[in-house]
Amino acid sequence: MSAIIIVGAQWGDEGKGKIVDYLAKKAEVVVRYQGGGNAGHTVVVNGKKTVFHLIPSGILNQKICVLGNGMVINPQALIKEIKALEEAGTRVRKYLFISDRAHLILPHHIVEDSSGLGKKLGTTGQGIGPCYRQKIAREGIRVADLVFEWPKIKSYLKSKYSPREYRQITADLKKFLKILKKNIIDVSLKLANFDQKRRKIIFEGAQGTLLDIDHGTYPFVTSSSATAGGALTGSGFGPTQIKEVIGVAKAYTTRVGEGPFPTELKNSLGLKLREKGGEYGATTGRPRRCGWLDMVILRYACRVNGLTSLAITKLDILDDFPQIKVCDAYAYQGKILTDFPASSQVLERCRPLYKKFTGWKKDISQIRKERLLPGPTKSYLNFIEKSLKIPIKIISVGQDRKQTILV
Ligand code: IMP
């Protein structure tokens, strides 16, 4: 029993890629279990930046990397990502495995996602929602269909596309199969074999708790299970084999796209967080909305994911704030809410109640030991730990792999 799930505790972009990359040193397998090219996981090693969309961040450590059945895969985007990584000197096909049960994103999903509802919700326009909708309607096309069911694919494509588009798409799918056929496997079986041999498996969540289709700020969410439960359904791995669930949270809060955000700072402090934190979407380049840390959200993330510890990222971004605030509860219609509400309408009307902390006003980006952190930084972290009743296991004080404190 040595599997770990790593999940985003906020609205995504918490720095999961960096944490997975850091922990992947001691693992043998890294599994993506939900989402698709909507994710943008950034990893910096010795100043060199790599952004992953579909491939698990563990590939930089040359570990076995798996795309689980819970994912939706755009075949062309995957080939492009593999090519870019291989051209930059990272071997990918030797280590990559793709679930035969994952669903495929086709061009009409992308067209649909870039208009109407997708636009209103501020999606990434990658075809994610329309593809999952087809999956749930039991009309989707899976990776296994490419291998075993060409007649089904052909009639499906003929019903959706013009003859010219049909020819192009079938050619693209054949190319995908030619390049990656050997990498298509039964993921559940492979993971069970690894687990029996006590090999360490990391499940790499994409997006975050509040973007989860069930537990997030519906309808302003993604279409997959971004919480810890998704790691199981999205890979075919059993719950009894999970040893740890690590939540990744930024030292403040961000969100992209539409939807309520109680601690959002629509002032110069929000702009300062955005500029210092480089808060622009890794997939779409959109500026992220920024605000103070929200403990109502983190307590909720602890509960729905069963977190056993926390990784706090981007702590250095708060270095020159004279005062730092943390929301500990919401005021709503004369009442105090300490639990995260289900309704986006209610959340929209919640006013954050803040605790104030003195800033440390020091550069912490070169510190590598927790005991060397300034007193006010320790007070900030102690408050988070006490409030969540779980330990902070990792502290990230910069983008680079080296800028990490293991507590
Ligand atoms: P979709 O996942 O493209 O359908 O977008 C649904 C919502 O999730 C939008 O608000 C997106 O901005 C957000 N979203 C999707 N992927 C990410 C991510 O990796 N980080 C942050 N937000 C994301």
Side-chain angles (χ1 to χ4, degrees), residues 269 272-273 292 317-324 359-361:
L269 287 175
K272 187 171 164 184
L273 282 173
W292 295 121
I317 303 304
L318 298 179
D319 277 359
D320 57 7
F321 282 80
Q323 188 185 60
I324 296 164
W360 42 94
K361 299 284 281 166

Side-chain angles (χ1 to χ4, degrees), residues 115-126:
S115 59
L117 183 64
K119 225 175 189 173
K120 206 167 123 202
L121 297 176
T123 68
T124 58
Q126 304 280 318

Side-chain angles (χ1 to χ4, degrees), residues 11-13 38-40 113 121-126 128-129 207 211 221-223 255-258 286:
W11 273 289
D13 309 315
N38 48 351
D113 198 21
L121 297 176
T123 68
T124 58
Q126 304 280 318
I128 306 295
Q207 289 82 46
L211 289 174
V221 291
T222 191
S223 307
R255 112 166 268 184
V256 263
E258 301 305 313
R286 286 181 290 179

Side-chain angles (χ1 to χ4, degrees), residues 252-320:
Y252 48 98
T253 313
T254 63
R255 112 166 268 184
V256 263
E258 301 305 313
F261 179 177
T263 64
E264 182 172 15
L265 292 165
K266 294 180 180 165
N267 56 17
S268 58
L269 287 175
L271 286 179
K272 187 171 164 184
L273 282 173
R274 179 186 293 161
E275 291 316 313
K276 269 213 82 187
E279 296 295 354
Y280 293 88
T283 301
T284 59
R286 286 181 290 179
R288 294 179 187 141
R289 299 155 64 193
C290 299
W292 295 121
L293 190 69
D294 186 332
M295 298 308 293
V296 183
I297 293 176
L298 293 193
R299 283 195 299 264
Y300 180 63
C302 271
R303 171 155 51 87
V304 298
N305 293 296
L307 299 184
T308 54
S309 64
L310 201 68
I312 286 281
T313 59
K314 293 197 150 183
L315 190 59
D316 56 304
I317 303 304
L318 298 179
D319 277 359
D320 57 7

Side-chain angles (χ1 to χ4, degrees), residues 136-286:
I136 299 302
R138 291 154 294 179
E139 291 170 349
I141 297 291
R142 305 197 299 173
V143 171
D145 297 333
L146 288 180
V147 186
F148 299 108
E149 299 196 41
W150 261 106
K152 172 182 161 181
I153 293 192
K154 278 181 173 170
S155 65
Y156 175 81
L157 294 179
K158 273 188 183 150
S159 73
K160 292 256 177 246
Y161 297 100
S162 70
R164 198 173 56 85
E165 289 166 331
Y166 169 83
R167 280 194 299 279
Q168 182 61 53
I169 297 166
T170 41
D172 288 342
L173 292 176
K174 280 187 176 148
K175 183 174 159 204
F176 174 83
L177 200 55
K178 192 168 163 215
I179 298 174
L180 290 167
K181 191 169 177 189
K182 282 198 285 209
N183 305 66
I184 297 171
I185 58 158
D186 180 333
V187 162
S188 172
L189 199 57
K190 182 120 185 141
L191 294 183
N193 286 339
F194 275 119
D195 192 54
Q196 261 166 19
K197 291 182 197 146
R198 303 196 178 286
R199 304 273 167 82
K200 192 163 179 173
I201 302 172
I202 293 181
F203 291 92
E204 174 177 8
Q207 289 82 46
T209 300
L210 295 185
L211 289 174
D212 181 279
I213 185 73
D214 287 283
H215 303 291
T217 44
Y218 194 89
F220 303 99
V221 291
T222 191
S223 307
S224 64
S225 300
T227 44
L232 312 173
T233 53
S235 67
F237 194 75
T240 47
Q241 304 308 102
I242 302 295
K243 187 177 162 212
E244 276 184 74
V245 185
I246 304 176
V248 185
K250 263 181 216 179
Y252 48 98
T253 313
T254 63
R255 112 166 268 184
V256 263
E258 301 305 313
F261 179 177
T263 64
E264 182 172 15
L265 292 165
K266 294 180 180 165
N267 56 17
S268 58
L269 287 175
L271 286 179
K272 187 171 164 184
L273 282 173
R274 179 186 293 161
E275 291 316 313
K276 269 213 82 187
E279 296 295 354
Y280 293 88
T283 301
T284 59
R286 286 181 290 179

